[in-house]
Amino acid sequence: MVRFLEKRHWAGTVRVRFKKIRVRFNFDCALNAIIKSDEVVGVSALGRNVTEQHEKELRFTELFETLAGRRLFQHAGGRLLDANPALVSILGYADESKKYLRWKRSS
């Protein structure tokens, strides 16, 4: 709360469970302070339901992490963005150290 009062803005994803429905939803939210005489007197909020997108991302991540074959995502400049555990293991790196790898394109 203190940080919001200082910055007067907050954005992020919020997980919500409605009491009667008992289903969890994910909302991308943005909160902005309403200022009067340089004092926060209220909050305006905007939220967008991103539950379906979030669930698709979770399924993709689970698939990516459990693939037996080697898979990676890399930036056009060669910086490794992500690699699944099979590739990291084959290269002999700890999962945390994979972010330091660079790949050279072979012609």
Side-chain angles (χ1 to χ4, degrees), residues 40-69:
V40 176
V41 295
V43 176
S44 70
L46 176 64
R48 182 172 60 101
N49 186 348
V50 294
T51 304
E52 186 176 334
Q53 176 186 348
H54 181 73
E55 289 171 354
K56 287 178 183 177
E57 289 171 358
L58 288 175
R59 284 193 300 271
F60 176 80
T61 300
E62 184 179 343
L63 173 67
F64 181 74
E65 293 292 326
T66 58
L67 285 173

Side-chain angles (χ1 to χ4, degrees), residues 5 16-17 22 29 41 44-45 53 61 63 78 85 90 92 95 107:
L5 293 173
V16 177
R17 187 175 137 226
R22 294 194 165 272
C29 297
V41 295
S44 70
Q53 176 186 348
T61 300
L63 173 67
I90 288 169
D95 195 46
S107 320

